[in-house]
Amino acid sequence: LWKFSGRNKGQDHFSDMISNVLFNFVCNCVLLQIMELCGATRLGYFGRSQFYIALKLVAVAQSGLPLRVESLNTVKDLPLPRFVVSKNEQESRHTALYSSDADNPASYSGVIPPPPGRIQQRTSSDQQESTSPVVSPQQSPPTSPHTWRKHNRHPSGGNNERPLAGPGPFWAPFSEAQPGSSTSSDPIWSGHSPPPHQENWVSFADTPPTSALLAMHPASVQDQTTVRTVASATTTNEIRRQSSSYDDPWKITDEQRQYYVNQFKTIQPDLNGFIPGSAAKEFFTKSKLPILELSHIWELSDFDKDGALTLDEFCAAFHLVVARKNGYDLPEKLPESLMPKLIDLEDSTEVGEQTGEVGYSSSPAEAPPSKSPSMPSLNQTWPELNQSSEQWETFSERSSSSQTLTQFDSNIAPADPDTAIVHPVPIRMTPSKIHMQEMELKRTGSDHTNPTSPLLVKPSDLPEENKMSSSVKYTSGNTVTDGYSSSDSYTSDPEQIGSAVTRQRSHSGTSPDNTAPPPPPPRPHPSHSRSSSLDMNRSFSVTPGQQQAGVVAYPPAVPPRPQPSQGAGPHVHRPVDADGLISHSSTSPQQIPEQPNFADFSQFEAFAASGVNKEEDDEIETHSEALQVEKPSDSASSLRVAKADGRVDEKVPANVPSSGKGTTPLAPPPKPIRRRLKSEDELRPEAEEHTQKTGVIAAVLASQPSIPRSIGKDKKAIQASIRRNKETNTVLARLNSELQQQLKDVLEERISLEVQLEQLRPFSHL
Amino acid sequence: METGLFSGSVHIGIIYHPPQNYPLYIRSVPTENELKFHYTVHTSLDVVDEKISAMGKAMVDQRELYLGLLYPTEDYKVYGYVTNSKVKFVMVVDSSNTALRDNEIRSMFRKLHNSYTDIMCNPFYNPGDRIHSRAFDNMVNSMMMQVC
């Protein structure tokens, strides 16, 4: 017993354990009386003195004597409370004690199941028998009453404020209540009883509980060491009690916590997951508390009001249930120590902790317990928000890169809720939203931080004047993501690119502007990328196959739908050309001439290309496209421009065969070239941007003959036109959606009118 | 629908929506004219229903149902609020309670709605039961204290 007491010395909250233990010995009502008498109720937990008194009262009750304070003092021969530890113990002890409580076990057994079940689980003991607990009461330590009586005079002493160490061990042994081990404890008890009388009340108090605990916990207590530890434990306990000023009746002990966690696992294996309300309801209904109280407990413990319990919330709820079962009134507010996030089982440190914010380690995504109606939706969006917040963060890092970025920063500045707002926005463009989600997922999954930032950047770019750099980055980010995700058939690349582009659009849609700009930027990028790829093609006559592949990879992921056509072109070229880049570049040139900023784009493409070097061949196209997109946005050196030109040239020829295709063809060529110039990371973002741009460009190019165009001016013009077109498209799309909404409304009105007409018709015939 | 009645100052009632329209919660603040306010709330249900049906498509407009002054002589105002699930909140406010601005009424209804939502989240609460939640009571009390 002392072992347990030693273990629990630091713990100040034993009410649950004690109540559970005591449950086994006395019926509920008696237990409540005992608790009242010993002042535990007042304190909210079992202080050592309370514990002693309680045990005494248990003995009294078991003896059949009325529970009165006087009885404690007057009944000197009160046998020790019977705590059934094991059958053996019973036999050895009960004779004197058992008689009056013959009926108790039976009644207790009914009561016992819930608490013992919990207790046993708590201690992780395998014993689920309710009989053993029932039996244990019968073996109350004979000495305890005596000792307790003496202690009773000291009860209100300083112990009130002290954590009850005894109950801990008391409880533990109790739960384990192993038959057979009790026998050894008997002698211990008997041995202890004399000493207690002689010791001061403190040690005195220690020994009875110890002995009681020993009796209760034969298995672990049988050690002689435990007996020995009693004396030492006594003093230590005393010291601890005196030193521990922590007085939080609602504190969860380690054992309790472990128990709760185990229970949580039985319902929800994932400790970071939730227990749905229905499951929790079933579980807590087993505790046989009235629904009203369970309802109140739920209100207290469901901190974030989401209808589900996290591990912390569950522990708090469980704790409250246990406390309630032990007779404690439920608090009006959730005690601090039960606040979610406080779940650290440290004694004093948790007292002052506030709110469940920190403790929500298991539910980081859970929003703070705000009670707004949008809370549930916010909770759901938190994971996305978290992702997006990451993106935002990366985005902010790049904010300085361009105006668009800065504007976007203002969007980022808002807290997470704003990102939540951002998320819903894209919904307007369903496909884009999906893409955005994909992109986000990809981002979170991808190892590239750049991609995410570019992606973030992209939205800003879209609404704003497209600085190729940012857009390129965005594109490249997209392309990278997409490229990495889809590494194979180029045919799939265009789609990816398209999706990436649309994602970008969605991002832009999410941007505060929600104006036309968002869509346009992606497109220009693809086209830009292509143009740049053309440039690149020109400058790089031969590009490593890998580069091409890498380049290709970007465009497929990012470019918008128009790009697929373009992508197909490069694709065709790929097999033809050993140098995939060249083939891609053939398409890119088409885009390049169309975009004024193509020069920059091409530069990016070069970067993307270089970055793509390591990509698979299949990715080259996407990358190249991304590079192409990046190029325009990059206001890099002339080298880049040259590369872009080279790519454009390369793309031009390629574009001819794939006239209708998007910027994808352009993307690949520039990419390899760019790679040489820049690091992979740069290329990737660029590639993505390029893919985006290629997508845009593709759209533009589609309508334009696939004729190699002069680089530079043509590119810029093309890019500008592409941007304008995108903006127009966005505006028109919005108008369209609004008109459709109006149409729906009008249709509904029409329907209602028709119905009315029908109703009136009979009258018209009259 | 549940209706709340606020007397003297305010009565709040929450009326359960589904066909029954019986009160889930009624609380009055000062005074004891509770019965009268119960009656008022019930009679106002008709007006509430009328407004709901009139809304047609627009439907879920939360803020509606400012019934305004029902009985000028009585000198009190009845406000209504309907949730998406057709749970109706009715608030009777004494005109003598100076003018509670529309915004204040709206915010009160919003708070009520939020608290009601929290109650709904409680798995131990069966829709249709009377509301015994202490948290809800506290919220209502504090709200009414503010007004009075």
Side-chain angles (χ1 to χ4, degrees):
Chain A
L1 287 179
W2 274 115
K3 268 189 183 174
F4 288 94
S5 61
R7 257 181 255 158
N8 293 318
K9 279 179 185 177
Q11 318 238 334
D12 56 351
H13 183 70
F14 302 97
S15 61
D16 302 343
M17 298 187 295
I18 295 172
S19 58
N20 287 329
V21 170
L22 293 178
F23 262 134
N24 297 312
F25 308 113
V26 299
C27 60
N28 280 348
C29 56
V30 173
L31 182 58
L32 285 175
Q33 291 178 7
I34 292 175
M35 287 176 59
E36 270 183 359
L37 286 176
C38 69
T41 309
R42 169 173 44 86
L43 292 179
Y45 66 95
F46 278 98
R48 182 170 293 209
S49 59
Q50 276 71 35
F51 180 69
Y52 298 146
I53 299 171
L55 288 177
K56 274 192 179 181
L57 292 173
V58 167
V60 170
Q62 288 182 343
S63 305
L65 300 176
L67 285 184
R68 297 213 185 97
V69 179
E70 308 75 47
S71 65
L72 288 177
N73 297 328
T74 56
V75 179
K76 300 200 174 174
D77 296 331
L78 192 62
L80 291 175
R82 286 177 301 165
F83 297 104
V84 178
V85 180
S86 66
K87 294 185 181 176
N88 293 342
E89 289 186 30
Q90 294 175 2
E91 295 172 357
S92 61
R93 303 205 187 194
H94 303 294
T95 52
L97 305 175
Y98 194 77
S99 59
S100 60
D101 287 348
D103 59 337
N104 286 347
S107 61
Y108 302 152
S109 61
V111 173
I112 287 166
R118 292 181 184 176
I119 297 173
Q120 291 178 357
Q121 289 171 356
R122 262 231 220 149
T123 55
S124 67
S125 69
D126 298 339
Q127 304 216 336
Q128 298 293 332
E129 301 171 11
S130 57
T131 55
S132 60
V134 176
V135 174
S136 60
Q138 299 173 354
Q139 297 180 356
S140 58
T143 59
S144 52
H146 301 284
T147 59
W148 288 344
R149 262 179 275 130
K150 287 195 181 179
H151 292 304
N152 190 26
R153 304 168 199 255
H154 305 272
S156 57
N159 275 348
N160 288 354
E161 300 306 322
R162 292 190 188 144
L164 183 56
F170 187 60
W171 183 80
F174 170 76
S175 62
E176 297 194 7
Q178 296 306 323
S181 56
S182 59
T183 50
S184 62
S185 56
D186 286 345
I188 295 174
W189 277 8
S190 56
H192 285 298
S193 47
H197 292 283
Q198 301 166 5
E199 296 171 357
N200 59 18
W201 71 274
V202 172
S203 59
F204 194 56
D206 290 344
T207 45
T210 305
S211 57
L213 291 174
L214 288 172
M216 304 200 31
H217 185 65
S220 62
V221 172
Q222 292 182 4
D223 282 347
Q224 287 300 322
T225 56
T226 56
V227 177
R228 287 184 228 118
T229 58
V230 172
S232 60
T234 305
T235 48
T236 51
N237 284 341
E238 178 183 2
I239 293 173
R240 283 190 197 173
R241 277 192 244 137
Q242 292 170 351
S243 61
S244 165
S245 59
Y246 184 66
D247 177 14
D248 183 4
W250 297 107
K251 183 152 173 49
I252 300 180
T253 65
D254 287 329
E255 287 185 2
Q256 293 173 341
R257 178 118 176 113
Q258 189 53 42
Y259 182 74
Y260 299 154
V261 171
N262 291 338
Q263 285 298 297
F264 186 91
K265 283 182 192 165
T266 62
I267 305 178
Q268 165 66 283
D270 175 18
L271 287 185
N272 285 331
F274 300 87
I275 288 186
S278 53
K281 174 178 181 178
E282 282 178 35
F283 182 80
F284 287 113
T285 306
K286 287 191 279 190
S287 69
K288 300 192 173 108
L289 283 183
I291 295 291
L292 188 59
E293 296 191 2
L294 290 174
S295 173
H296 186 68
I297 288 175
W298 176 275
E299 284 181 356
L300 290 177
S301 59
D302 188 5
F303 204 67
D304 48 7
K305 302 292 178 196
D306 59 354
L309 296 182
T310 64
L311 181 59
D312 291 352
E313 292 173 341
F314 177 82
C315 292
F318 207 141
H319 203 60
L320 289 170
V321 169
V322 172
R324 188 70 181 128
K325 287 204 73 77
N326 295 331
Y328 293 111
D329 291 332
L330 296 178
E332 286 296 321
K333 287 183 8 171
L334 192 64
E336 284 184 4
S337 57
L338 291 183
M339 289 271 189
K341 116 170 172 170
L342 287 186
I343 301 299
D344 296 331
L345 289 182
E346 293 183 1
D347 298 347
S348 55
T349 55
E350 294 182 354
V351 182
E353 291 189 34
Q354 292 291 335
T355 68
E357 293 169 8
V358 172
Y360 276 117
S361 57
S362 62
S363 60
E366 290 180 327
S370 65
K371 301 202 176 173
S372 63
S374 62
M375 184 67 166
S377 60
L378 275 180
N379 282 336
Q380 295 164 2
T381 58
W382 277 116
E384 291 182 359
L385 291 181
N386 287 341
Q387 296 176 0
S388 63
S389 61
E390 297 171 357
Q391 299 162 1
W392 296 138
E393 291 169 357
T394 53
F395 183 78
S396 58
E397 293 170 3
R398 294 169 159 266
S399 60
S400 58
S401 58
S402 67
Q403 288 180 355
T404 58
L405 288 175
T406 51
Q407 288 186 357
F408 198 66
D409 283 340
S410 62
N411 300 332
I412 297 175
D416 279 348
D418 288 350
T419 56
I421 297 175
V422 168
H423 283 277
V425 172
I427 292 175
R428 208 150 56 97
M429 306 153 78
T430 313
S432 59
K433 172 160 187 157
I434 296 172
H435 291 304
M436 196 175 68
Q437 290 172 350
E438 295 174 20
M439 291 192 332
E440 289 171 0
L441 291 175
K442 286 185 178 176
R443 273 185 230 133
T444 55
S446 77
D447 298 336
H448 310 290
T449 56
N450 287 341
T452 56
S453 53
L455 288 174
L456 292 176
V457 175
K458 197 59 180 174
S460 63
D461 287 343
L462 299 179
E464 300 305 325
E465 173 50 26
N466 299 329
K467 291 225 168 171
M468 300 306 287
S469 58
S470 57
S471 60
V472 168
K473 290 175 188 173
Y474 189 66
T475 310
S476 60
N478 289 339
T479 50
V480 173
T481 309
D482 296 332
Y484 293 156
S485 61
S486 70
S487 58
D488 294 334
S489 66
Y490 183 76
T491 51
S492 65
D493 291 344
E495 293 174 358
Q496 292 172 0
I497 295 173
S499 66
V501 174
T502 52
R503 287 188 208 126
Q504 294 171 351
R505 288 179 193 162
S506 63
H507 279 291
S508 60
T510 60
S511 69
D513 295 350
N514 284 340
T515 57
R523 286 177 195 164
H525 288 303
S527 61
H528 286 297
S529 64
R530 289 185 188 172
S531 59
S532 61
S533 67
L534 288 175
D535 292 341
M536 297 306 291
N537 287 338
R538 288 175 194 170
S539 59
F540 294 86
S541 60
V542 178
T543 58
Q546 287 182 347
Q547 287 181 346
Q548 294 176 359
V551 171
V552 173
Y554 286 120
V558 174
R561 291 167 198 144
Q563 290 186 354
S565 61
Q566 295 178 356
H571 209 39
V572 173
H573 293 295
R574 233 198 266 161
V576 175
D577 295 343
D579 183 357
L581 285 177
I582 296 176
S583 63
H584 293 304
S585 62
S586 65
T587 55
S588 58
Q590 291 177 354
Q591 298 174 355
I592 296 173
E594 297 169 0
Q595 297 177 358
N597 293 340
F598 195 79
D600 294 341
F601 207 1
S602 59
Q603 291 170 358
F604 283 102
E605 288 180 356
F607 294 156
S610 61
V612 177
N613 274 331
K614 299 181 183 177
E615 295 301 331
E616 298 179 5
D617 291 349
D618 290 338
E619 296 178 349
I620 288 180
E621 292 188 15
T622 48
H623 289 307
S624 62
E625 288 184 355
L627 290 174
Q628 295 175 358
V629 175
E630 295 173 355
K631 279 186 184 178
S633 60
D634 190 6
S635 60
S637 64
S638 62
L639 177 58
R640 294 180 188 170
V641 175
K643 290 183 181 176
D645 292 345
R647 289 197 181 182
V648 172
D649 292 341
E650 293 175 359
K651 288 180 183 176
V652 170
N655 284 341
V656 174
S658 62
S659 57
K661 304 207 170 172
T663 56
T664 6
L666 294 177
K671 288 183 182 175
I673 299 172
R674 289 179 185 164
R675 275 188 196 163
R676 294 176 186 175
L677 298 182
K678 295 190 180 179
S679 64
E680 296 180 12
D681 286 346
E682 290 178 342
L683 288 177
R684 290 189 196 120
E686 293 175 349
E688 289 185 359
E689 293 183 22
H690 281 301
T691 50
Q692 294 173 356
K693 292 183 182 177
T694 52
V696 176
I697 295 175
V700 177
L701 290 176
S703 61
Q704 298 177 359
S706 60
I707 300 174
R709 302 210 171 104
S710 62
I711 307 165
K713 295 179 185 175
D714 291 340
K715 288 185 205 173
K716 293 184 181 174
I718 292 169
Q719 290 170 0
S721 65
I722 288 172
R723 257 183 253 116
R724 287 193 296 271
N725 289 337
K726 281 188 179 176
E727 294 176 5
T728 310
N729 284 343
T730 314
V731 172
L732 290 175
R734 224 178 283 125
L735 279 177
N736 188 26
S737 61
E738 290 174 0
L739 288 172
Q740 284 186 354
Q741 184 60 35
Q742 289 180 7
L743 177 63
K744 284 182 202 168
D745 295 339
V746 170
L747 283 175
E748 288 178 9
E749 289 178 9
R750 182 187 165 202
I751 290 171
S752 64
L753 286 173
E754 285 181 357
V755 168
Q756 291 179 11
L757 184 63
E758 285 297 332
Q759 292 173 357
L760 294 172
R761 211 165 265 179
F763 300 95
S764 69
H765 291 300
L766 298 177
Chain B
M1 301 207 313
E2 297 177 334
T3 50
L5 293 179
F6 286 141
S7 61
S9 310
V10 176
H11 299 267
I12 288 185
I14 301 178
I15 300 172
Y16 192 46
H17 157 60
Q20 298 89 7
N21 273 354
Y22 57 86
L24 284 188
Y25 182 87
I26 291 187
R27 171 74 65 85
S28 303
V29 159
T31 64
E32 283 46 24
N33 280 349
E34 193 142 4
L35 204 55
K36 180 180 105 167
F37 287 105
H38 273 74
Y39 170 73
T40 308
V41 168
H42 264 277
T43 55
S44 66
L45 283 182
D46 285 340
V47 186
V48 171
D49 279 336
E50 180 187 328
K51 296 231 175 183
I52 290 182
S53 58
M55 296 234 310
K57 299 185 304 190
M59 275 298 286
V60 198
D61 182 355
Q62 295 183 350
R63 251 56 71 104
E64 82 243 354
L65 299 196
Y66 273 5
L67 305 180
L69 213 55
L70 284 187
Y71 307 114
T73 58
E74 297 283 356
D75 192 35
Y76 59 78
K77 304 178 190 171
V78 181
Y79 297 97
Y81 181 99
V82 166
T83 70
N84 296 356
S85 55
K86 297 291 183 7
V87 176
K88 305 169 186 68
F89 296 79
V90 175
M91 192 185 312
V92 177
V93 180
D94 215 4
S95 289
S96 63
N97 187 6
T98 28
L100 271 184
R101 288 197 318 275
D102 192 58
N103 287 342
E104 293 171 8
I105 302 287
R106 286 176 192 266
S107 70
M108 290 171 77
F109 274 129
R110 205 174 310 121
K111 275 195 260 181
L112 275 175
H113 194 178
N114 289 342
S115 299
Y116 181 74
T117 307
D118 292 338
I119 288 178
M120 280 296 160
C121 286
N122 189 336
F124 298 104
Y125 172 78
N126 302 316
D129 292 350
R130 297 200 70 106
I131 294 179
H132 299 285
S133 155
R134 278 182 250 177
F136 189 80
D137 287 344
N138 293 343
M139 186 277 302
V140 170
N141 283 338
S142 64
M143 209 163 65
M144 301 210 293
M145 288 306 146
Q146 270 180 350
V147 173
C148 303

